[in-house]
Amino acid sequence: MASHRGRNEGIHMLPEFVCEAIPCPSGDEDEPTFPEAGATTDTTNGDGEAIKQRLLDIIKNEDKRYPLSDEDLVVQLNQAGFSVARQGVTKYRKTLNIPSAAQRKDWTLGDKQ
């Protein structure tokens, strides 16, 4: 188990549960502030709309017998030059009201070519 050393000597945290603090506007470095619950931060450098459009294009052209998982969509987006994580793909997919891969599968097609 990793631990944070320094001011909070007695606090032990796993790295995956540590949140990134945002500097306090007042400049008081001892009291960091955090985003409000439900607030989102755009880490795509303004490419959010481009990612959404590319995501729509990829899903529109996918094989409906074997729809792409969010992890597969990450690979496709990364190959197209977008740096996005699986959680980001899930967020964009839900924002666009696109169902999951299992829900997009067309079972009537079977394994026919």
Side-chain angles (χ1 to χ4, degrees), residues 47-107:
D47 289 338
E49 291 305 314
I51 291 173
K52 288 179 189 179
Q53 186 58 51
R54 182 69 179 139
L55 186 60
L56 286 169
D57 292 341
I58 292 169
I59 291 174
K60 178 182 173 186
N61 296 314
E62 73 184 351
D63 183 348
K64 301 305 179 199
R65 293 173 296 171
Y66 308 104
L68 299 168
S69 68
D70 286 351
E71 198 61 46
D72 295 331
L73 292 169
V74 167
V75 172
Q76 294 276 328
L77 287 168
N78 288 337
Q79 288 174 347
F82 297 104
S83 177
V84 62
R86 188 206 44 84
Q87 296 90 342
V89 168
T90 303
K91 178 185 84 168
Y92 288 124
R93 184 178 51 73
K94 288 181 177 182
T95 299
L96 295 167
N97 294 317
I98 298 171
S100 68
Q103 294 168 327
R104 292 193 315 271
K105 182 170 180 146
D106 187 346
W107 292 91

